[in-house]
Amino acid sequence: VVERHAGPHHEGHWRTTPRVDAIEFRGGLPPAALAQGVRDGALDLAHGLEPAALEEIARDRHLGLTLLESPRRSLYFLLFAGQGALGTSRGARRALGGVLRVHDLVHATLGRLAQPATGVLPPGVLGHEPGGRRTSLSREEAEALLLASGLRRPLHLRAAVHPVLQDRYAGVTGALLHAWAELDIEVEVVTGTLEQYQQALHEPVDSSGARLDLLLGRWIANYDDPDSFTGALFHSRAGYFRAWMPGAAAVAAGDGGSSDARTTTGALLDEAMERARAEGEPASRERLYRRLEGLLAEDARVVPLFHDLDSRVAGPRLRNVVLRGTLPYVGYAELAVGEPPARSQQRRERRGALRIPISGRLQSVDPGQTIFTWQGDVIPTVFETLTRENEAAQIAPFLAARVEASDQGRRFRFRLREDVRFHDGRPLTARDVRWSFIRLLRNPANENRWLLSPIRGARQLLEEGQGELLGCRVESDHELVVELEEAVSVFPALLAHPSASIVPEGLESFDGSWTDGVVGTGPFRITHFAPGARLELEANPGYWRPGLPRSQRLVFTFGWSPGEMAAALRGGELSLVTGLPLAEVEELRRDPHLSSQHHEIPTLSTYYLVLNAHQGPLADEALRHELISALDVDGLVQRHIGRLGVTARGLVPPGLLGYRGQWRPALTPAPRGNPSRGDRELTVLVQTAYGELYAELTSALLAALTARGFTVKTVELRSNYRELLATTRVDLFLARWVADYPDADTFLYHLLHSDAGLLGHFLGDPEIDRLIEQGRREASPEVRHDLYLAVERRLSERALLLPLFHEQGHCFVRPEVRGFSRRFASVDIDLALLWVE
């Protein structure tokens, strides 16, 4: 149906005065004509477009059209007959229903046409549980249940199938039957017409009199109440599908369905339906219907599949379009028309391909495995987070439209943007967020799982790999609440780390392209990935940030050396390079074609020297002061770092709360006698970056210690340095820390805290712990700043840690690359803004 505004309205309508002069309905138009009509302005509102046309309109904002979607009060479901082998074996029903990964199956086959069901109650109906989940079974688990049920295979089943599930939604039916075929279960569809299907509803036998085993059906609400989807359907004496429910044979025989004839579960379900229908108080009714959903799931007789999505396209001049879940589906009385908004500038065509070299070798695009800083340059182009740093290194909502803190930082409410879709077209929901969090916590291979550890219930997932994340509660499709074990005011900042990126519910494998289901919400989507060698991306045509990305393709290649990067940039093979050592930086700055394209900015990183105050010679505080006084940090940085860094005044880098500015303490060595040579023998662990990028600084620093009478022995850094620090006595650690999120908390709590910090066993201090914990709870920025300054003073007074420098980020860009800018943030280049002239 297509609506066009044209003729007189009813001025005396009792409810409201219509806002348009007339509505003209046009029927019988084919889908192609509908799509063309809304494009050229001949039609204002269209319904019935094909999925491909809907997808194209949703992704092309230049047209000024609006895609409106609303779940209808409908239910498509699978129902097992109350009699026969499946009717009497709950284990067999659990096997057949549980092996269907309904969420993935519906998204893969129906796309924009449907919303996977979490229960029999659709969205918007009292009792609907937006966060509800059905337990999926592996093929092996389903096989075991079938074996225990005693059913012999191959198993042949007879099914009544609604015609729409053999036509418009045939894809989901085919996928369902294919999943069962892998269990050696064959299904014969015996209803070819609507009349045959309707006859089977009331008498579950086919034309030959053979009993039917299952029904694939549809229900559209007669009235907007949960009873329309429960008691009105599945009550064994009064429900529309009563012939398929347990006890139906007894009812047909005239005994009224006595308790002796009906199953215990059937009696419980009937009682629950009757009690819920009789209850008048809404909150109590909601609890009863959610309990009823649980009973239906436990019985495993009804398998909810999906709800219809009512998709309509509104033209640019239409206003106040309201879609409802029941008839009438459109609020015609509220419709209004106005002047179409002026077209902004002509649509910018995406231009060129960006070619970016990476020194490391990316083996997986799984965002949960983001460990190294260079991975943080790649992953956000495909996957995105609820929050993100803005240009001033402050946390702001990103996929979340709004973040609200309450209960003194123990509870956070996230409201998601409603215009965000994954690369395959499915909408972002709060269920995807919860899934992404649980997935990150469950996988021990993800080293950044600790980011989510403050959430209530996270500890069990971290330690046991199973359980529910009790503190993450889905409230609606676009809203969720996160409750923490204790107040953590910086929690939104933790969620800005790429490891906390949101992926679709059910996504487990990250092998393949976006057409294989490896999808995010980012500005680019994967077209080809060769692990360790190459990642090819194309522009996401439906990206939620209008006008972005500006380039058509993005290609990352891995395993480059600094020299190779510099040479390839000069030769025009690369678009930009970062992370070069000082020699290459100076060489490129002398190139007249590239010198004007040199950009530098301080990064959120700190290189430092930490002293072991708990064991070994440096447990002597006086000796720690003497060692620190032997190092001229300003001179070392100026001579050996040059443009690659700025001298650090504290552990916290510039731009964050707790930064100490220009102040640097003048340390006075504590008096001591002439120590024996034995207590001046030090073991030094040197992090990889010092040997690869800053070897001159490392040598000069160790030489200064040797000149002061210390004997220095260096330890080779192994890959798992966290384990090495925990098992080997190290007196000095030359290390660096790059912010996981733009807040001083990442430099203090995750480094210094006695229990939670990487360096806790080196320098854990009760007073520092107290200050850090207070800072985590505190909401006032001014108070937090003072607390972090107090931590810096304590580190200095006790000679526990010596800050060295903050790394400067250097980037060289080819002259033909446009739109370049740098942000003072962890990910300082937004590649979505760049294009090639």
Side-chain angles (χ1 to χ4, degrees):
V1 177
V2 180
E3 297 85 21
R4 180 179 173 84
H5 303 279
H9 64 253
H10 181 194
E11 294 186 1
H13 190 262
W14 65 273
R15 183 166 61 88
T16 183
T17 301
R19 301 179 180 182
V20 297
D21 293 328
I23 297 178
E24 175 187 329
F25 293 88
R26 294 184 183 178
L29 296 178
L34 295 176
Q36 187 59 43
V38 291
R39 284 176 178 275
D40 60 22
L43 306 175
D44 291 309
L45 190 64
H47 174 233
L49 278 70
E50 295 293 341
L54 292 173
E55 194 71 30
E56 183 181 355
I57 287 171
R59 292 175 181 276
D60 196 343
R61 296 183 176 89
H62 177 65
L63 296 172
L65 304 177
T66 302
L67 177 62
L68 305 164
E69 295 177 317
S70 175
R72 283 188 174 178
R73 305 294 196 267
S74 65
L75 174 67
Y76 292 73
F77 59 92
L78 167 67
L79 176 63
F80 295 108
Q83 291 78 44
L86 292 177
T88 57
S89 175
R90 187 169 68 92
R93 298 196 301 271
R94 285 185 59 207
L96 268 64
V99 79
L100 303 174
R101 299 180 66 89
V102 171
H103 190 277
D104 297 335
L105 184 147
V106 170
H107 274 309
T109 57
L110 302 184
R112 287 184 178 273
L113 297 179
Q115 176 174 331
T118 62
V120 298
L121 300 176
V125 173
L126 181 72
H128 170 68
E129 180 80 58
R133 288 184 292 173
R134 299 297 183 191
T135 302
S136 295
L137 301 177
S138 66
R139 179 175 175 177
E140 292 72 20
E141 291 171 325
E143 292 271 9
L145 284 173
L146 287 172
L147 184 63
S149 72
L151 293 179
R152 300 180 62 182
R153 287 176 287 165
L155 183 63
H156 182 79
L157 303 177
R158 305 169 69 79
V161 180
H162 192 289
V164 75
L165 286 160
Q166 301 180 57
D167 180 18
R168 181 172 176 83
Y169 299 139
V172 73
T173 304
L176 185 151
L177 300 185
H178 177 74
W180 284 349
E182 294 183 346
L183 293 174
D184 208 9
I185 297 172
E186 299 177 356
V187 178
E188 178 187 1
V189 178
V190 299
T191 56
T193 66
L194 181 60
E195 291 74 18
Q196 291 173 338
Y197 170 79
Q198 289 175 329
Q199 182 178 353
L201 295 184
H202 306 295
E203 189 176 1
V205 294
D206 64 11
S207 57
S208 66
R211 186 184 305 277
L212 299 181
D213 301 290
L214 58 97
L215 178 142
L216 275 169
R218 172 177 81 169
W219 182 254
I220 297 177
N222 286 333
Y223 47 96
D224 196 5
D225 189 88
D227 183 70
S228 183
F229 292 92
T230 53
L233 299 186
F234 305 120
H235 194 285
S236 69
R237 288 171 292 171
Y240 188 71
F241 297 104
R242 58 185 176 274
W244 288 77
M245 302 306 292
V251 174
D255 68 358
S258 66
S259 58
D260 291 336
R262 296 163 62 204
T263 66
T264 302
T265 303
L268 287 174
L269 286 170
D270 284 354
E271 180 186 357
M273 293 174 193
E274 292 162 7
R275 183 180 176 190
R277 169 181 276 187
E279 177 60 54
E281 202 277 318
S284 298
R285 290 195 82 210
E286 182 173 49
R287 288 193 295 270
L288 289 172
Y289 278 110
R290 289 191 173 181
R291 176 175 176 269
L292 180 54
E293 285 271 27
L295 291 174
L296 286 168
E298 180 68 19
D299 185 45
R301 190 171 309 278
V302 182
V303 181
L305 298 176
F306 62 92
H307 313 291
D308 274 318
L309 276 181
D310 184 6
S311 300
R312 298 175 187 250
V313 178
R317 72 188 193 116
L318 207 59
R319 306 285 187 272
N320 303 327
V321 185
V322 178
L323 298 187
R324 304 188 179 101
T326 55
L327 291 170
Y329 294 121
V330 179
Y332 292 106
E334 292 86 2
L335 286 178
V337 293
E339 289 299 321
R343 292 280 175 89
S344 55
Q345 60 182 2
Q346 188 174 2
R347 176 176 49 179
R348 181 197 298 270
E349 295 295 335
R350 296 187 178 95
R351 289 178 284 177
L354 299 170
R355 293 176 171 81
I356 315 294
I358 301 293
S359 58
R361 293 190 179 275
L362 190 72
Q363 299 299 331
S364 172
V365 294
D366 182 351
Q369 297 184 25
T370 304
I371 302 171
F372 303 107
T373 54
W374 55 265
Q375 288 174 296
D377 295 330
V378 179
I379 295 301
T381 61
V382 179
F383 303 97
E384 295 178 319
T385 50
L386 292 182
T387 60
R388 180 174 171 176
E389 303 144 282
N390 59 22
E391 289 73 10
Q394 298 171 333
I395 285 296
F398 198 55
L399 291 182
R402 188 171 65 250
V403 181
E404 298 172 355
S406 60
D407 195 15
Q408 298 180 329
R410 289 183 176 85
R411 182 180 293 108
F412 293 86
R413 181 177 295 274
F414 296 87
R415 177 71 190 180
L416 304 182
R417 298 181 184 275
E418 298 188 19
D419 57 345
V420 179
R421 290 184 174 272
F422 291 101
H423 297 146
D424 58 1
R426 75 180 81 174
L428 170 72
T429 69
R431 294 171 60 87
D432 300 310
V433 177
R434 183 181 63 180
W435 162 266
S436 301
F437 287 178
I438 292 175
R439 179 182 168 275
L440 178 63
L441 287 164
R442 280 180 175 167
N443 189 350
N446 296 335
E447 293 192 14
N448 291 308
R449 296 189 298 159
W450 56 266
L451 287 165
L452 304 181
S453 61
I455 302 177
R456 186 165 62 87
R459 288 295 176 186
Q460 182 182 1
L461 286 163
L462 286 168
E463 295 169 3
E464 302 175 12
Q466 58 185 2
E468 291 295 327
L469 192 57
L470 300 177
C472 187
R473 187 174 70 253
V474 174
E475 302 244 313
S476 70
D477 282 348
H478 292 96
E479 198 164 48
L480 74 156
V481 172
V482 177
E483 298 176 350
L484 309 183
E485 295 284 0
E486 57 185 24
V488 181
S489 61
V490 299
F491 181 72
L494 304 182
L495 302 182
H497 192 277
S499 288
S501 294
I502 309 305
V503 300
E505 183 179 13
L507 180 58
E508 291 277 16
S509 172
F510 289 82
D511 298 325
S513 68
W514 76 271
T515 57
D516 301 311
V518 186
V519 297
T521 62
F524 296 90
R525 59 189 187 184
I526 301 170
T527 56
H528 174 72
F529 178 46
R534 187 179 183 90
L535 174 64
E536 297 181 12
L537 311 173
E538 68 178 7
N540 173 10
Y543 189 43
W544 59 274
R545 294 160 67 195
L548 300 180
R550 294 177 179 168
S551 62
Q552 185 59 40
R553 294 176 60 240
L554 180 57
V555 179
F556 291 102
T557 46
F558 305 107
W560 292 76
S561 69
E564 290 171 335
M565 288 187 197
L569 182 70
R570 285 193 297 268
E573 300 172 32
L574 300 174
S575 301
L576 60 85
V577 298
T578 60
L580 296 175
L582 183 58
E584 275 72 14
V585 168
E586 295 298 342
E587 180 182 351
L588 290 177
R589 289 186 71 249
R590 291 191 290 269
D591 188 317
H593 300 290
L594 296 174
S595 59
S596 62
Q597 301 297 315
H598 173 229
H599 306 265
E600 58 182 328
I601 189 173
T603 65
L604 296 179
S605 65
T606 304
Y607 288 69
Y608 57 89
L609 176 67
V610 63
L611 293 79
N612 191 340
H614 287 180
Q615 58 178 323
L618 297 181
D620 180 349
E621 183 171 329
L623 188 59
R624 297 201 301 273
H625 278 281
E626 180 184 345
L627 185 148
I628 287 178
S629 68
L631 300 175
D632 175 14
V633 174
D634 286 309
L636 288 170
V637 171
Q638 291 173 10
R639 287 192 297 272
H640 303 292
I641 299 298
R643 288 183 172 273
L644 297 185
V646 294
T647 304
R649 305 304 179 189
L651 180 60
V652 177
L656 302 182
L657 293 177
Y659 176 61
R660 296 200 300 189
Q662 298 302 313
W663 180 79
R664 188 177 184 88
L667 296 178
T668 303
R672 62 180 282 120
N674 295 319
S676 66
R677 190 166 184 80
D679 67 357
R680 301 173 76 84
E681 293 180 355
L682 306 177
T683 301
V684 183
L685 178 65
V686 180
Q687 200 167 13
T688 307
Y690 285 87
E692 293 181 349
L693 296 177
Y694 307 115
E696 291 185 9
L697 171 71
T698 305
S699 298
L701 187 149
L702 296 179
L705 294 180
T706 301
R708 194 63 176 259
F710 292 97
T711 301
V712 177
K713 173 188 175 184
T714 59
V715 175
E716 181 181 353
L717 181 68
R718 297 198 296 267
S719 58
N720 191 348
Y721 70 89
R722 295 173 186 265
E723 179 182 341
L724 185 146
L725 289 177
T727 58
T728 304
R729 201 203 85 188
V730 174
D731 300 306
L732 292 172
F733 183 21
L734 270 174
R736 75 166 176 176
W737 188 261
V738 180
D740 288 322
Y741 46 94
D743 192 277
D745 184 76
T746 189
F747 289 90
L748 303 182
Y749 180 77
H750 295 293
L751 279 180
L752 308 181
H753 194 275
S754 296
D755 297 325
L758 175 67
L759 308 175
H761 66 289
F762 267 86
L763 48 68
D765 177 86
E767 176 62 12
I768 288 178
D769 291 346
R770 184 189 68 79
L771 293 168
I772 291 173
E773 291 165 3
Q774 186 177 346
R776 295 202 107 199
R777 296 189 297 268
E778 180 58 54
S780 167
E782 293 79 9
V783 175
R784 291 185 68 216
H785 180 71
D786 292 339
L787 290 169
Y788 295 153
L789 286 178
V791 172
E792 295 275 21
R793 285 194 297 269
R794 182 74 173 175
L795 290 172
S796 177
E797 290 166 357
R798 294 203 57 212
L800 299 174
L801 182 145
L802 178 63
L804 299 175
F805 66 95
H806 307 296
E807 198 169 35
Q808 284 280 100
H810 291 262
C811 182
F812 289 88
V813 184
R814 289 289 306 176
E816 61 271 17
V817 175
R818 297 286 187 265
F820 183 87
S821 64
R822 301 201 73 172
R823 305 183 306 151
F824 185 55
S826 298
V827 180
D828 57 3
I829 303 173
D830 189 346
L831 296 175
L833 301 176
L834 306 185
W835 77 94
V836 178
E837 184 66 48

Coordinates of all heavy atoms in Angstrom, one line a residue, residues 566-610:
A566 N 59.9 3.9 5.1 CA 60.4 5.2 4.6 C 60.6 5.2 3.0 O 60.2 6.1 2.3 CB 61.6 5.6 5.3
A567 N 61.2 4.1 2.6 CA 61.5 4.0 1.1 C 60.2 3.9 0.3 O 60.0 4.5 -0.7 CB 62.3 2.7 0.9
A568 N 59.2 3.1 0.8 CA 57.9 2.9 0.1 C 57.1 4.2 0.1 O 56.4 4.5 -0.9 CB 57.1 1.8 0.7
L569 N 57.2 5.0 1.2 CA 56.5 6.3 1.2 C 57.1 7.2 0.2 O 56.3 7.9 -0.6 CB 56.6 6.9 2.6 CG 55.9 8.2 2.8 CD1 54.3 8.0 2.8 CD2 56.3 8.9 4.1
R570 N 58.4 7.3 0.1 CA 59.0 8.2 -0.9 C 58.7 7.7 -2.3 O 58.5 8.6 -3.2 CB 60.5 8.2 -0.7 CG 61.0 9.0 0.5 CD 62.5 9.2 0.4 NE 63.3 8.0 0.5 CZ 63.7 7.4 1.6 NH1 63.5 8.0 2.7 NH2 64.3 6.3 1.6
G571 N 58.5 6.4 -2.5 CA 58.2 5.9 -3.8 C 56.7 6.0 -4.2 O 56.3 5.6 -5.3
G572 N 55.9 6.5 -3.3 CA 54.5 6.7 -3.6 C 53.7 5.4 -3.4 O 52.5 5.4 -3.8
E573 N 54.2 4.4 -2.8 CA 53.5 3.1 -2.6 C 52.6 3.1 -1.4 O 51.7 2.3 -1.3 CB 54.5 1.9 -2.5 CG 55.4 1.8 -3.7 CD 56.5 0.7 -3.4 OE1 56.2 -0.2 -2.6 OE2 57.6 0.9 -3.9
L574 N 52.8 4.0 -0.4 CA 52.1 4.1 0.8 C 51.4 5.4 0.9 O 51.9 6.4 0.4 CB 53.0 3.8 2.0 CG 53.7 2.4 2.0 CD1 54.7 2.4 3.2 CD2 52.7 1.3 2.1
S575 N 50.3 5.5 1.7 CA 49.6 6.8 1.9 C 50.2 7.5 3.1 O 50.3 8.8 3.1 CB 48.1 6.5 2.1 OG 47.6 5.8 1.0
L576 N 50.6 6.8 4.2 CA 51.1 7.5 5.3 C 51.9 6.4 6.1 O 51.6 5.2 6.0 CB 50.1 8.1 6.2 CG 48.9 7.3 6.8 CD1 49.3 6.6 8.1 CD2 47.7 8.1 7.0
V577 N 52.8 6.9 7.0 CA 53.6 6.0 7.8 C 53.7 6.6 9.2 O 53.8 7.9 9.4 CB 55.0 5.7 7.3 CG1 54.9 5.0 6.0 CG2 55.9 6.9 7.2
T578 N 53.7 5.8 10.2 CA 53.9 6.3 11.6 C 54.9 5.3 12.3 O 55.3 4.3 11.7 CB 52.6 6.2 12.4 OG1 52.1 4.9 12.4 CG2 51.6 7.1 11.8
G579 N 55.3 5.7 13.5 CA 56.1 4.8 14.3 C 57.6 4.6 13.9 O 58.2 3.6 14.1
L580 N 58.1 5.6 13.2 CA 59.5 5.5 12.7 C 60.5 5.9 13.8 O 60.2 6.8 14.6 CB 59.7 6.4 11.5 CG 58.9 6.1 10.2 CD1 59.1 7.1 9.2 CD2 59.2 4.7 9.7
P581 N 61.7 5.3 13.8 CA 62.7 5.7 14.7 C 63.3 7.1 14.3 O 63.0 7.6 13.2 CB 63.8 4.6 14.6 CG 63.5 4.0 13.3 CD 62.1 4.1 13.0
L582 N 64.2 7.7 15.1 CA 64.6 9.0 14.9 C 65.4 9.2 13.6 O 65.2 10.2 12.9 CB 65.6 9.4 16.1 CG 66.1 10.8 16.1 CD1 65.0 11.8 16.0 CD2 67.0 11.1 17.3
A583 N 66.2 8.2 13.2 CA 67.0 8.3 12.0 C 66.1 8.5 10.8 O 66.3 9.4 9.9 CB 67.9 7.1 11.8
E584 N 65.0 7.7 10.7 CA 64.1 7.7 9.5 C 63.3 9.0 9.6 O 63.0 9.6 8.5 CB 63.2 6.5 9.5 CG 63.8 5.3 8.8 CD 64.9 4.6 9.6 OE1 65.0 4.9 10.8 OE2 65.6 3.8 9.1
V585 N 62.9 9.5 10.8 CA 62.2 10.7 10.9 C 63.0 11.9 10.4 O 62.5 12.7 9.5 CB 61.8 11.0 12.4 CG1 61.3 12.4 12.5 CG2 60.7 10.0 12.8
E586 N 64.3 12.0 10.8 CA 65.1 13.1 10.3 C 65.4 13.0 8.8 O 65.4 14.0 8.1 CB 66.4 13.1 11.1 CG 66.3 13.4 12.6 CD 65.7 14.8 12.8 OE1 65.7 15.6 11.9 OE2 65.1 15.0 13.9
E587 N 65.5 11.8 8.3 CA 65.8 11.6 6.8 C 64.6 12.1 6.0 O 64.7 12.8 5.0 CB 66.0 10.1 6.5 CG 66.3 9.8 5.1 CD 66.5 8.4 4.8 OE1 66.6 7.6 5.8 OE2 66.6 8.0 3.6
L588 N 63.4 11.7 6.5 CA 62.2 12.1 5.7 C 61.9 13.6 5.8 O 61.3 14.2 4.9 CB 60.9 11.3 6.2 CG 60.9 9.8 5.8 CD1 59.7 9.1 6.4 CD2 60.9 9.6 4.3
R589 N 62.3 14.2 7.0 CA 62.1 15.6 7.1 C 62.9 16.4 6.2 O 62.7 17.6 5.9 CB 62.4 16.0 8.6 CG 61.3 15.5 9.6 CD 61.5 16.1 11.0 NE 61.2 17.5 11.0 CZ 62.1 18.5 11.2 NH1 63.4 18.2 11.3 NH2 61.8 19.8 11.2
R590 N 64.0 15.8 5.7 CA 64.9 16.5 4.7 C 64.4 16.3 3.3 O 64.9 16.9 2.4 CB 66.3 15.9 4.8 CG 67.0 16.3 6.1 CD 68.5 16.0 6.1 NE 68.7 14.6 6.1 CZ 68.9 13.9 7.2 NH1 68.9 14.5 8.4 NH2 69.1 12.6 7.2
D591 N 63.4 15.5 3.1 CA 62.8 15.3 1.8 C 61.9 16.4 1.4 O 60.9 16.6 2.1 CB 62.0 14.0 1.7 CG 61.6 13.6 0.3 OD1 61.1 14.5 -0.4 OD2 61.7 12.4 -0.1
P592 N 62.1 17.3 0.4 CA 61.3 18.4 0.1 C 59.9 18.1 -0.2 O 59.0 18.9 0.0 CB 62.0 19.1 -1.1 CG 62.8 18.0 -1.7 CD 63.2 17.1 -0.6
H593 N 59.6 16.9 -0.7 CA 58.2 16.5 -1.0 C 57.4 16.1 0.2 O 56.2 16.0 0.1 CB 58.2 15.4 -2.1 CG 58.9 15.8 -3.4 ND1 58.4 16.7 -4.3 CD2 60.1 15.4 -3.9 CE1 59.2 16.9 -5.3 NE2 60.3 16.1 -5.1
L594 N 58.1 15.7 1.3 CA 57.4 15.2 2.4 C 57.6 16.1 3.7 O 56.8 15.9 4.6 CB 58.0 13.8 2.7 CG 57.7 12.7 1.7 CD1 58.4 11.4 2.0 CD2 56.2 12.5 1.5
S595 N 58.5 17.0 3.7 CA 58.7 17.8 4.9 C 57.5 18.5 5.3 O 57.2 18.7 6.5 CB 59.9 18.7 4.7 OG 59.7 19.6 3.6
S596 N 56.7 19.1 4.4 CA 55.5 19.8 4.7 C 54.4 18.9 5.2 O 53.4 19.4 5.7 CB 55.1 20.7 3.5 OG 54.7 19.8 2.4
Q597 N 54.6 17.6 4.9 CA 53.5 16.7 5.3 C 53.9 15.9 6.6 O 53.4 14.8 6.8 CB 53.3 15.7 4.2 CG 52.9 16.3 2.9 CD 51.5 17.0 3.0 OE1 50.6 16.5 3.5 NE2 51.5 18.2 2.4
H598 N 54.8 16.5 7.4 CA 55.2 15.9 8.6 C 54.3 16.4 9.8 O 54.2 17.6 9.9 CB 56.7 16.2 8.9 CG 57.1 15.8 10.2 ND1 57.8 16.6 11.1 CD2 57.0 14.6 10.9 CE1 58.1 15.9 12.2 NE2 57.6 14.7 12.1
H599 N 53.8 15.5 10.6 CA 52.9 15.9 11.7 C 53.4 15.2 12.9 O 53.8 14.0 12.9 CB 51.4 15.5 11.4 CG 50.9 16.0 10.1 ND1 50.2 17.1 10.0 CD2 51.0 15.5 8.8 CE1 49.8 17.3 8.7 NE2 50.3 16.3 8.0
E600 N 53.4 15.9 14.1 CA 53.8 15.3 15.3 C 52.8 15.8 16.4 O 52.3 16.9 16.4 CB 55.2 15.7 15.7 CG 55.5 17.1 15.8 CD 57.0 17.4 16.1 OE1 57.6 16.5 16.8 OE2 57.6 18.4 15.6
I601 N 52.6 14.9 17.4 CA 51.8 15.2 18.5 C 52.2 14.3 19.7 O 52.6 13.2 19.5 CB 50.3 14.9 18.1 CG1 49.3 15.5 19.2 CG2 50.0 13.5 17.9 CD1 47.9 15.4 18.8
P602 N 52.1 14.8 20.9 CA 52.4 13.9 22.1 C 51.4 12.8 22.2 O 50.2 13.0 21.9 CB 52.2 14.9 23.3 CG 52.3 16.2 22.7 CD 51.8 16.2 21.3
T603 N 51.8 11.6 22.5 CA 51.0 10.5 22.7 C 50.7 10.2 24.1 O 51.4 10.7 25.0 CB 51.6 9.2 22.1 OG1 52.8 8.9 22.8 CG2 52.0 9.4 20.6
L604 N 49.7 9.5 24.4 CA 49.3 9.1 25.8 C 50.2 7.9 26.2 O 49.7 6.8 26.3 CB 47.8 8.8 25.9 CG 46.9 10.0 25.6 CD1 45.4 9.6 25.7 CD2 47.2 11.2 26.5
S605 N 51.5 8.2 26.4 CA 52.4 7.1 26.8 C 53.4 7.7 27.7 O 53.7 8.9 27.7 CB 53.1 6.6 25.5 OG 53.9 7.6 24.9
T606 N 54.0 6.8 28.5 CA 55.1 7.2 29.4 C 56.2 6.1 29.4 O 55.8 5.0 29.6 CB 54.6 7.5 30.8 OG1 53.6 8.5 30.8 CG2 55.7 8.0 31.7
Y607 N 57.4 6.5 29.3 CA 58.6 5.6 29.4 C 59.1 6.0 30.8 O 59.3 7.1 31.2 CB 59.6 5.8 28.4 CG 59.2 5.3 27.0 CD1 58.2 5.9 26.3 CD2 59.8 4.2 26.5 CE1 57.8 5.4 25.0 CE2 59.4 3.7 25.2 CZ 58.4 4.3 24.5 OH 58.0 3.8 23.3
Y608 N 59.5 4.9 31.6 CA 59.8 5.2 33.0 C 60.8 4.1 33.5 O 60.9 3.0 32.9 CB 58.6 5.2 33.9 CG 57.8 4.0 33.8 CD1 58.0 2.9 34.6 CD2 56.7 3.8 32.8 CE1 57.3 1.7 34.6 CE2 56.0 2.7 32.8 CZ 56.3 1.6 33.6 OH 55.5 0.5 33.5
L609 N 61.4 4.4 34.6 CA 62.3 3.4 35.3 C 61.6 3.1 36.6 O 61.4 4.1 37.4 CB 63.7 4.0 35.5 CG 64.7 3.1 36.3 CD1 65.0 1.9 35.5 CD2 66.0 3.9 36.5
V610 N 61.3 1.9 36.9 CA 60.7 1.5 38.2 C 61.7 0.7 39.0 O 62.5 -0.1 38.5 CB 59.4 0.7 38.0 CG1 59.7 -0.6 37.3 CG2 58.7 0.4 39.3

